[in-house]
DNA sequence: TCAATATTGGACTGAACGGTCCAGAAATAG
DNA sequence: CTATTTCTGGACCGTTCAGTCCAATATTGA
């Protein structure tokens, strides 16, 4: 994300007509790209990394996604939608304590030690990139909303602040995880914090 | 931090003798470098950025600091020492609630929206760089130790887990900050969490 | 068959990168 | 003075980067 964002062209999709049809799945390619960004961050991901992972030639890449930045932003949106949907499901299917279940899910995401793609990107890019910051804010806000909804309605005091605290606590443990601490230790700490400190 | 670390030469310092003496302050130069890394991260910081900020020629840079990586690690150590010392002072001079004072200090560091250099670097580099991960772990551990020491000894249950939770909560708010939320809003949330949820 | 579109893979560009090297000036100790 | 060391500024090198372009080929609708 080195400089401006002048060339944000997004080639509109063709509906039908003559010519060879597209032979790859755009959604699958986007998913693959998302995983590369998740593992390496934006700057450290090269176009060769992307085309290789997506199984596309350079030409198809640019014809389909425009440029690295726009693909990246699409990957972020895709990640956010998926993540929020997953977290909502965790909250709804939790048998015992939805707040704890959500914190556990956030602190140990499916990506493993890669952490949360959006938190990574906020750290790396948000201060210098408004669009990333905007997507990041929305994502964090959605997480807070889910916590707020999961908080026991019998105790309606300062719901927003409590939701924010739960969310921040879980997100904070991602740093521990990336620094190399084992997931089970973090899970235990989180459960303790939930039951002892933040009931 | 692209690949290995074969060339970690650190030119030992000269004590006296003939010849032109060094005309710049090595410690000040290190401090400047640290600030650049703090603002831009490791990968996004170029050698021109560094030499410009440090007021050194390229030649002096390499003669003094060896290479970008070693300088970076020194900057991290320097930051950690300063930060831990500062946090300790916050804890010791806090009139009312040292835990809250420490959380506030962590969540709104002197660097402003740049967040915490070490948390940034953990996010950016730790999964791919053992040395950074090691420095990061030590830093986080030191922070936890300070929280543990600041916890009211009249309530000695699960001190370690509580310290970890306070630390993670404060660190988690850094993501909110970087995403653009105003500092005072975060400070308020943190104070609420402290007094209402985590007394 | 023919026009239209998509595919590939690689050549290419211009820029930025980290790092090396050198020549010459400047400042010290003896 | 001389020897020694550090200073500067820029040239230079090999690599990597994002992005462009092209020629050849493949697959469709009409």
């Amino acid at each position: 994300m080195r400089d401006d964002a002048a060339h944000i062209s997004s080639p509109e999709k063709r509906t039908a007509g003559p010519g060879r049809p597209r032979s790859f799945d755009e959604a699958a390619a986007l998913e693959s790209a998302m995983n590369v960004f998740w593992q390496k961050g934006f700057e450290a991901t090269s176009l060769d990394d992307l085309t290789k992972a997506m199984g596309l030639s350079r030409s198809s890449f640019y014809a389909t996604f425009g440029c690295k930045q726009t693909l990246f932003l699409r990957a972020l949106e895709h990640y956010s939608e998926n993540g929020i949907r997953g977290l909502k499901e965790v909250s709804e299917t939790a048998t015992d304590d939805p707040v704890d279940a959500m914190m556990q899910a956030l602190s140990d995401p499916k990506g493993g030690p890669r952490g949360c793609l959006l938190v990574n990107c906020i750290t790396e890019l948000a201060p210098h990139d408004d669009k990333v910051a905007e997507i990041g804010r929305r994502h964090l806000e959605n997480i807070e909303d889910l916590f707020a909804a999961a908080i026991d309605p019998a105790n309606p005091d300062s719901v927003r602040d409590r939701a924010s605290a739960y969310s921040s606590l879980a997100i904070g443990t991602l740093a521990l995880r990336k620094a190399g601490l084992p997931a089970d230790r973090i899970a235990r700490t989180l459960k303790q914090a939930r039951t002892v400190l933040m009931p």
Side-chain angles (χ1 to χ4, degrees), chain A:
Chain A
M1 202 69 60
R2 201 157 298 280
D3 48 350
D4 65 338
H7 40 300
I8 36 172
S9 62
S10 64
E12 66 277 6
K13 52 187 59 178
R14 221 166 46 91
T15 48
R20 179 176 176 173
R22 183 162 284 165
S23 67
F24 60 90
D25 183 348
E26 187 173 324
L30 180 61
E31 180 94 6
S32 301
M34 183 197 75
N35 278 306
V36 181
F37 285 130
W38 198 351
Q39 235 165 359
K40 313 186 70 165
F42 177 81
E43 291 285 0
T45 296
S46 72
L47 269 179
D48 283 338
D49 293 332
L50 287 172
T51 52
K52 200 166 159 184
M54 301 163 83
L56 264 63
S57 69
R58 238 172 161 73
S59 322
S60 302
F61 176 92
Y62 278 101
T64 309
F65 296 102
C67 74
K68 194 185 170 191
Q69 300 196 25
T70 58
L71 169 64
F72 178 64
L73 293 178
R74 281 188 61 182
L76 286 192
E77 300 274 15
H78 177 63
Y79 177 90
S80 181
E81 288 164 17
N82 267 20
I84 295 300
R85 178 170 37 241
L87 192 59
K88 189 171 191 173
E89 195 178 320
V90 165
S91 156
E92 285 167 350
T93 63
T95 57
D96 184 30
D97 181 353
V99 168
D100 183 58
M102 288 171 66
M103 285 202 292
Q104 298 287 352
L106 275 175
S107 81
D108 189 24
K110 272 181 284 195
R114 288 182 292 180
C116 165
L117 172 58
L118 262 169
V119 172
N120 297 351
C121 291
I122 288 171
T123 307
E124 181 189 1
L125 305 168
H128 311 297
D129 189 310
D130 286 343
K131 289 187 191 125
V132 173
E134 164 65 20
I135 299 176
R137 268 194 305 273
R138 254 187 6 238
H139 188 70
L140 295 176
E141 197 179 310
N142 287 337
I143 292 176
E144 267 193 36
D145 288 346
L146 289 181
F147 271 114
I151 286 176
D152 184 2
N155 191 6
D157 276 354
S158 57
V159 168
R160 201 73 213 173
D161 282 331
R162 285 156 72 199
S164 183
Y166 293 136
S167 169
S168 292
L169 173 54
I171 286 169
T173 64
L174 291 172
L176 300 178
R177 185 95 174 82
K178 290 200 120 184
L181 270 69
D184 57 345
R185 180 152 133 47
I186 294 172
R188 195 179 50 78
T189 298
L190 221 42
K191 192 153 196 71
Q192 275 277 334
R194 170 62 174 148
T195 56
V196 176
L197 296 176
M198 309 167 92

